[in-house]
Amino acid sequence: ISADLFFDLGRTDLKFSAKAQLDQIGRLLFENNLFVNVVGHTDDLPTNSNQYPTNWELSTARACRVARYLIDNAGIAENRFFVTGHSSLIPLESNSSSVNRSLNRRVELILVREIPYITESNRRIIPGREYNNEL
């Protein structure tokens, strides 16, 4: 999802149009039991912000904002989410133009059957769900 559609440049406040799109996504996510990795990305321009001094903070804060919106507004259990920020390190295109930079500013929702860090040695139970590699 293009971050430009969701956020103003250098910001983490969701735009009104982003909320409508997330409401649709939330309805789909509510109907299944998949886990959601919300991944934030930025372009390579510096943030010039005291609140988000690097693109690491900005990419992670945007991913957190999307996850929190889906938890609060779509009623999806928070234990189904994990958040990742990649800063500008995984671009879709080179950062050689404003068009390419806009493509690199994005939030991805990656659906998985299990949280990757659950292994045989660290299996645990979270209320309402036992991790046994089955949905």
Side-chain angles (χ1 to χ4, degrees):
I1 303 168
S2 172
D4 287 353
L5 298 175
F6 274 39
F7 307 100
D8 288 327
L9 197 58
R11 305 286 308 231
T12 62
D13 299 322
L14 286 168
K15 292 181 178 181
F16 179 78
S17 59
K19 294 176 182 180
Q21 192 171 7
L22 285 174
D23 289 340
Q24 291 178 337
I25 292 169
R27 285 190 289 278
L28 295 173
L29 292 174
F30 189 79
E31 295 175 0
N32 64 60
N33 289 324
L34 297 172
F35 293 97
V36 184
N37 183 9
V38 184
V39 183
H41 299 269
T42 66
D43 60 25
D44 66 342
L45 296 176
T47 61
N48 296 321
S49 164
N50 289 331
Q51 188 172 11
Y52 307 108
T54 71
N55 281 321
W56 282 107
E57 286 91 355
L58 181 60
S59 65
T60 305
R62 286 178 169 176
C64 286
R65 184 68 55 128
V66 168
R68 174 57 47 205
Y69 184 87
L70 291 168
I71 291 163
D72 291 344
N73 295 283
I76 301 168
E78 67 180 6
N79 65 354
R80 289 179 53 195
F81 287 91
F82 55 110
V83 173
T84 309
H86 286 296
S87 183
S88 62
L89 299 178
I90 305 179
L92 291 176
E93 300 291 337
S94 72
N95 283 294
S96 58
S97 71
S98 60
V99 171
N100 284 359
R101 281 189 187 93
S102 70
L103 294 172
N104 293 333
R105 294 188 298 265
R106 66 196 188 279
V107 174
E108 298 171 328
L109 301 177
I110 301 172
L111 307 179
V112 296
R113 291 191 180 276
E114 63 182 53
I115 296 177
Y117 57 79
I118 301 296
T119 64
E120 284 301 318
S121 63
N122 70 358
R123 283 201 192 283
R124 58 199 166 109
I125 296 175
I126 290 179
R129 181 169 189 136
E130 180 177 349
Y131 291 101
N132 59 6
N133 288 334
E134 297 175 14
L135 290 176

